[in-house]
C-alpha cells in the first residue's frame, strides 16, 4: 500500500455529528472525498437536500440524514437505535456536535450547565460507548472527538463549555487506554479560534476580536476547511499507531 493509499477511506462508513455547518460539515465533506459514506446528524438537519448531503453526493458517496437533540437522552438512544438498524456498521465516529452558552460563572444557571455538559460530554460518551463497543467486537475502528482550546484553558464566561471540553481530553485518554490494544484508535482534534457561527460574537467583539487575532501566530482566524486534512488522517490507516492524543489545529495559539 502506498502512503497516499493509506489515507483512502473506500468502503468505510463515517458518522459525523454536528455536520450541518462549520467544522462538522467540512469534516463530512473531507471524509466523503476520501471515499467514506456518511451518516450525518445535527439538531436541525434537513431529511433531504441539505448542503452537506449535496457535497457528499457530489463526491459519489452515500448519505444518511438524521436530526437529533443531543441534550435529550431519550432522543439520543432512539437515534443510535435507528442508525444501527438503517445504516451500515460505523467504522469512523466523529463526535463533533457541541453547544456553548456564554454567561458569567456567578450567573451560570443549572439548566445552562446541564444542557452544555449533556451535549458536549455525556452524549459524546454514550455515542462512543455504543458504537465503540461494536468497533471493539470487530477489532477495528476510529473515534475522533472535537476538543477545544478550552481542553487546556479556562476561557471567560463559559465555565460549562470549559468543563465539558476538559472532560473530552481525559475521556480520549481513558477510552484509548482500554481500546488501543483491540484495534480501535481514539483521538481528538482541538480547534483554535475558527470563523464559524459559534465564534461570531467573539469575531464581532471590538476588543476581544482584535486581541485574539493579534495573538494567533498564523495571523488569521482558522477556517472549517483547515480540518479536512486532520480528520482524514485520524480516520484513516495512516494514523493506526496514533491514539490517545489531542491534535491542535490552532494556528500556533497554544505554542505562544
Amino acid at each position: 500500500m502506498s502512503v497516499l493509499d493509506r489515507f483512502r477511506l473506500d468502503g468505510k462508513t463515517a458518522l459525523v455529528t454536528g455536520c450541518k455547518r462549520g467544522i462538522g460539515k467540512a469534516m463530512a465533506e473531507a471524509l466523503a472525498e476520501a471515499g467514506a459514506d456518511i451518516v450525518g446528524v445535527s439538531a436541525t438537519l434537513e431529511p433531504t437536500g441539505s448542503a452537506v448531503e449535496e457535497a457528499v453526493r457530489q463526491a459519489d458517496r452515500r448519505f444518511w440524514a438524521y436530526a437529533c437533540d443531543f441534550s435529550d437522552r431519550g432522543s439520543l438512544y432512539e437515534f443510535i437505535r435507528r442508525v444501527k438498524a438503517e445504516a451500515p456498521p460505523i467504522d469512523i465516529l466523529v463526535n463533533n456536535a457541541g453547544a456553548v452558552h456564554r454567561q458569567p460563572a456567578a450567573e451560570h444557571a443549572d439548566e445552562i450547565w446541564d444542557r452544555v455538559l449533556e451535549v458536549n460530554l455525556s452524549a459524546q460518551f454514550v455515542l462512543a460507548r455504543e458504537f465503540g463497543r461494536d468497533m471493539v467486537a470487530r477489532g477495528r475502528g476510529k473515534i475522533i472527538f472535537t476538543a477545544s482550546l478550552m481542553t487546556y484553558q479556562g476561557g471567560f464566561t463559559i465555565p460549562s463549555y470549559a468543563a465539558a471540553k476538559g472532560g473530552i481530553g481525559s475521556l480520549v485518554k481513558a477510552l484509548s487506554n482500554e481500546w488501543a490494544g483491540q484495534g480501535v484508535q481514539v483521538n481528538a482534534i482541538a480547534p483554535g479560534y475558527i470563523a464559524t457561527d459559534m465564534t461570531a460574537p467573539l469575531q464581532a467583539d471590538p476588543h476581544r476580536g482584535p486581541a485574539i487575532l493579534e495573538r494567533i501566530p498564523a495571523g488569521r482566524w482558522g477556517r472549517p476547511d483547515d480540518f479536512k486534512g486532520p480528520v482524514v488522517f485520524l480516520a484513516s490507516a495512516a494514523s493506526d499507531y496514533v491514539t490517545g492524543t489531542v491534535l491542535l489545529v490552532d494556528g500556533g495559539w497554544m505554542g505562544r
Side-chain angles (χ1 to χ4, degrees):
M1 182 184 295
S2 73
V3 66
L4 292 181
D5 286 339
R6 293 181 65 81
F7 288 86
R8 292 297 307 172
L9 300 175
D10 302 290
K12 304 293 186 182
T13 301
L15 167 55
V16 183
T17 74
C19 72
K20 184 174 181 177
R21 58 182 181 268
I23 292 172
K25 178 173 178 285
M27 287 177 167
E29 291 173 357
L31 295 171
E33 289 167 11
D37 294 323
I38 305 298
V39 177
V41 59
S42 287
T44 59
L45 184 64
E46 302 91 334
T48 59
S50 66
V52 64
E53 178 179 3
E54 292 199 8
V56 170
R57 295 201 184 279
Q58 284 178 4
D60 201 25
R61 306 315 307 165
R62 294 182 294 172
F63 186 81
W64 292 262
Y66 296 90
C68 181
D69 178 1
F70 284 177
S71 69
D72 183 323
R73 190 69 63 91
S75 296
L76 174 62
Y77 277 114
E78 175 59 16
F79 162 70
I80 293 169
R81 184 198 66 77
R82 288 185 61 198
V83 170
K84 291 192 176 190
E86 299 168 2
I90 301 301
D91 303 291
I92 302 155
L93 170 62
V94 180
N95 265 330
N96 170 74
V100 65
H101 192 107
R102 299 182 183 278
Q103 197 78 23
E107 304 163 18
H108 215 76
D110 288 357
E111 54 268 24
I112 295 172
W113 176 272
D114 291 346
R115 180 176 185 277
V116 172
L117 266 291
E118 187 67 29
V119 172
N120 291 8
L121 184 59
S122 297
Q124 313 291 334
F125 170 69
V126 171
L127 287 162
R129 182 189 66 206
E130 295 303 308
F131 290 106
R133 179 188 297 124
D134 298 338
M135 294 177 186
V136 168
R138 295 194 301 270
R140 65 185 184 279
K142 303 279 187 174
I143 299 176
I144 305 161
F145 290 85
T146 296
S148 169
L149 293 180
M150 299 310 109
T151 302
Y152 305 94
Q153 302 175 325
F156 292 92
T157 70
I158 50 171
S160 53
Y161 185 82
K165 292 301 185 178
I168 288 295
S170 293
L171 181 58
V172 164
K173 298 178 181 67
L175 296 178
S176 176
N177 288 343
E178 291 195 38
W179 294 344
Q182 300 178 72
V184 178
Q185 292 83 51
V186 184
N187 294 288
I189 297 172
Y193 284 95
I194 312 301
T196 65
D197 293 347
M198 186 177 286
T199 60
L202 286 178
Q203 296 173 64
D205 188 301
H207 303 293
R208 292 206 64 203
I212 288 168
L213 182 60
E214 184 178 357
R215 179 179 160 161
I216 301 172
R220 66 172 176 86
W221 286 65
R223 297 182 287 265
D225 279 1
D226 291 319
F227 296 85
K228 288 188 170 184
V231 77
V232 169
F233 168 63
L234 290 177
S236 71
S239 63
D240 279 354
Y241 201 60
V242 178
T243 192
T245 193
V246 179
L247 174 61
L248 283 159
V249 182
D250 65 348
W253 176 279
M254 286 300 297
R256 183 158 181 173

